[in-house]
Amino acid sequence: MRSAAAKWRLLAAIFLLGLLADQATKFLAVDRLTTAFQRAGAHTAGAKLQAFWSLRHLEPVATEPFYVFRPWWRMAYVENPNAAFGLGSFLAPGPRYAVFVLFAVGALAAILWFYRRLQPGQWLHQVTLALVFTGATGNFVDRLARRYVIDFIEWYWWNRPDLRWPTFNLADSYLSVGIVLLLFLPQGKPAPKKV
């Protein structure tokens, strides 16, 4: 049987690796899909990192999208001040930011509360909640640093970029996969193991 400490190690591992991957891909999006670093004179890794955290509103210096698979997948730099599917666009920027920060703090606290209640044997629930927690944190870091989220993955219908899924990032993927898995996982406590 897994120990209670093992579930917190699992959360820490998924969180650290996931958050690092999320922020690294957003850094690469700024580096490869905009000319921001060149315009700022940031040529070393340290200068690029500093520019990544200090530069704002880079859509005007975005380059043409990079096509991974031209019929349905490309990478394009997008700044999203709203939530998924444009939620929150009806609010003014100041109140929208405050609502999103309060919502994120509440959501992260709720996820940790539910995670704390999981039994050591509920490892799949632990993984899914860790994914949701990591995704929420990745986008929360963006909002705190920039007041918007960096998105860059675009999927669209066969050679029709006008018929597309909203642009997203790795943090959104963690959230989506975690939430979908949670919807399909059996609820309740696991049956006791026979000795």
Side-chain angles (χ1 to χ4, degrees):
M1 177 175 232
R2 292 165 53 96
S3 71
K7 77 176 184 180
W8 294 104
R9 286 193 297 271
L10 177 66
L11 175 65
I14 291 172
F15 176 75
L16 291 174
L17 291 173
L19 189 61
L20 179 63
D22 174 62
Q23 292 301 310
T25 55
K26 290 171 181 173
F27 173 86
L28 287 172
V30 171
D31 187 33
R32 307 286 167 86
L33 300 172
T34 75
T35 58
F37 293 160
Q38 296 92 322
R39 289 171 179 256
H43 301 294
T44 65
K48 287 181 177 183
L49 276 173
Q50 183 179 6
F52 175 67
W53 291 108
S54 63
L55 296 175
R56 302 285 178 274
H57 306 294
L58 306 178
E59 283 183 331
V61 296
T63 61
E64 290 296 313
F66 171 78
Y67 288 87
V68 178
F69 182 61
R70 189 169 289 274
W72 53 266
W73 180 9
R74 70 183 184 181
M75 302 292 195
Y77 181 85
V78 175
E79 296 170 354
N80 183 5
N82 302 311
F85 304 105
L87 294 175
S89 60
F90 59 91
L91 293 171
R96 177 177 53 220
Y97 175 73
V99 166
F100 285 162
V101 166
L102 289 173
F103 180 78
V105 169
L108 292 172
I111 294 166
L112 287 177
W113 183 81
F114 281 110
Y115 193 87
R116 187 178 140 268
R117 295 174 49 99
L118 292 175
Q119 300 300 313
Q122 293 178 289
W123 66 271
L124 197 49
H125 287 80
Q126 294 166 19
V127 169
T128 57
L129 278 180
L131 286 171
V132 173
F133 184 76
T134 303
T137 304
N139 284 337
F140 185 52
V141 166
D142 275 17
R143 288 199 194 283
L144 289 179
R146 302 174 184 87
R147 292 186 171 239
Y148 57 82
V149 173
I150 295 174
D151 289 330
F152 54 91
I153 304 169
E154 288 188 354
W155 288 345
Y156 50 89
W157 185 245
W158 202 260
N159 291 315
R160 291 283 310 269
D162 57 317
L163 298 175
R164 64 183 179 87
W165 188 257
T167 310
F168 62 99
N169 58 44
L170 280 189
D172 297 331
S173 300
Y174 303 151
L175 277 165
S176 299
V177 169
I179 290 169
V180 167
L181 287 175
L182 280 174
L183 292 174
F184 290 102
L185 284 176
Q187 301 305 311
K189 295 182 180 179
K193 290 187 175 184
K194 295 180 181 178
V195 181

